[in-house]
Amino acid sequence: GTRGLHTQMRFFESAKEEVLEQQCRGHISVPKDYQNLRDAISNANPGDRIEIEAGEHSWDGKIEVNKALHICGQVDMATGFPTTFLRGRWRITVPPPLPWDREPLLVGTFSNCWCECIGGYTFAVMGGEWQMYNCRIFCKNGSALSIPNAVVGLHHCVVGCEKDTNGVIANYGVVLWEGSKAWISSGSLRNCKHGIFMRDTADLRVINSELTRVSIAFGCILPNDCSIEVLKTRFYEIEHKWHQNSRPSRLFQEGNYNEKGEPVLVHGDSEGQHVFQTQDLTNRY
């Protein structure tokens, strides 16, 4: 049904950081055990926790992660902001379990990391499941998060771009396709030309979050088999809610509002579920 996404994505409710932390099998410290993050990841075993000290860590090209790891930065106890700055590009995946693995590691995590890049993308999440907690994921003139065929949970994360005095922002906050699923909880998308862009088949749930200073909040290439739920989310300084001639196949909206606390409807004149057919969308919205 049109409310199916809520059922499909309930497992995100149990993706608690402390539960996943208990699954860590080993511990690596950067730079105590390895001088740089790339070497630490190369030498880590699946399930290891990599703890990175506060300060700036940068690299050329991209770091590839092909195993379930728990990558953890430091946090300012007064503000709660990450103090571990990771300046570079990521390409990450958790491979499917092997048939004979009795205790497969299926989830990787990032926590307390300030990740940013200029151009291209900051994260390409290529497969498996990744949960991110209290992270900043920024990309000037590019895509903060590109997610083909993966599952990503964003908890208390800020995605998009820092406010730039020169007006430079992210091209895209989150891009989803090829069966991806994303959950954004108590987070923020800000300073983007396009907030969330979807194509092919993808599912999205945004709850208790905000979209701020975004030119176009949502976009879905037609035709598609995409689902969007937007619940209890704040919209502020949004130029357009939708890209032209653009809707998902299924939309559920409830309890959204603007900076004054007034109700906001993502589409139409009623809350609840909406179903769209491609032939109804062309040249209509």
Side-chain angles (χ1 to χ4, degrees):
T2 55
R3 198 73 202 265
L5 178 58
H6 180 74
T7 302
Q8 294 172 26
M9 303 189 73
R10 279 185 305 182
F11 62 89
F12 275 116
E13 299 279 10
S14 60
K16 303 296 185 183
E17 184 177 8
E18 58 271 19
V19 174
L20 295 172
E21 288 281 332
Q22 293 171 6
Q23 300 174 7
C24 294
R25 296 183 176 181
H27 184 274
I28 292 173
S29 178
V30 177
K32 181 180 178 181
D33 297 318
Y34 293 95
Q35 280 295 310
N36 63 71
L37 185 53
R38 194 189 298 271
D39 288 346
I41 288 172
S42 295
N43 288 280
N45 294 314
D48 282 355
R49 172 189 172 98
I50 298 177
E51 187 161 344
I52 313 165
E53 72 173 13
E56 183 168 323
H57 307 259
S58 61
W59 57 92
D60 295 327
K62 61 179 175 287
I63 288 181
E64 299 215 25
V65 181
N66 297 301
K67 47 198 163 187
L69 296 175
H70 303 284
I71 297 173
C72 182
Q74 307 303 313
V75 66
D76 185 303
M77 298 307 295
T79 64
F81 294 168
T83 56
T84 299
F85 296 89
L86 307 178
R87 307 196 191 281
R89 193 165 286 121
W90 295 86
R91 184 181 174 93
I92 62 177
T93 187
V94 176
L98 298 172
W100 53 84
D101 192 343
R102 294 184 178 181
E103 296 182 358
L105 296 169
L106 302 177
V107 184
T109 68
F110 281 78
S111 58
N112 302 327
C113 293
W114 188 301
C115 306
E116 65 178 44
C117 190
I118 298 176
Y121 59 82
T122 298
F123 275 94
V125 188
M126 305 304 296
E129 179 181 337
W130 290 88
Q131 301 290 339
M132 300 184 177
Y133 307 89
N134 191 38
C135 290
R136 305 292 188 270
I137 304 172
F138 295 153
C139 189
K140 293 181 180 180
N141 289 327
S143 301
L145 268 167
S146 179
I147 311 172
N149 194 29
V151 175
V152 175
L154 299 166
H155 314 268
H156 300 278
C157 293
V158 182
V159 177
C161 190
E162 275 195 288
K163 193 171 184 178
D164 189 291
T165 55
N166 297 319
V168 178
I169 60 177
N171 287 341
Y172 294 91
V174 179
V175 182
L176 297 160
W177 75 100
E178 292 184 2
S180 291
K181 292 179 170 59
W183 164 289
I184 302 172
S185 175
S186 302
S188 175
L189 275 88
R190 62 180 62 163
N191 302 316
C192 305
K193 294 178 182 177
H194 303 267
I196 298 166
F197 201 78
M198 305 169 72
R199 65 178 188 259
D200 303 328
T201 303
D203 294 331
L204 168 72
R205 192 168 198 240
V206 184
I207 182 169
N208 291 324
S209 296
E210 68 171 18
L211 279 76
T212 301
R213 294 184 294 276
V214 176
S215 299
I216 302 174
F218 303 101
C220 301
I221 292 179
L222 300 177
N224 67 66
D225 184 20
C226 295
S227 298
I228 296 178
E229 287 190 9
V230 189
L231 312 171
K232 301 176 183 177
T233 289
R234 177 179 180 262
F235 290 78
Y236 178 59
E237 292 188 17
I238 306 297
E239 293 183 27
H240 305 282
K241 294 174 186 172
W242 295 96
H243 194 279
Q244 186 177 5
N245 295 333
S246 172
R247 292 294 189 280
S249 294
R250 297 166 297 280
L251 168 70
F252 187 90
Q253 59 180 345
E254 186 175 87
N256 303 305
Y257 57 96
N258 63 18
E259 68 277 12
K260 298 179 181 179
E262 300 164 340
V264 166
L265 293 171
V266 179
H267 167 84
D269 55 8
S270 63
E271 294 198 327
Q273 61 191 26
H274 301 266
V275 179
F276 305 96
Q277 301 294 328
T278 299
Q279 60 268 25
D280 297 332
L281 293 174
T282 305
N283 299 323
R284 182 174 177 184
Y285 298 114

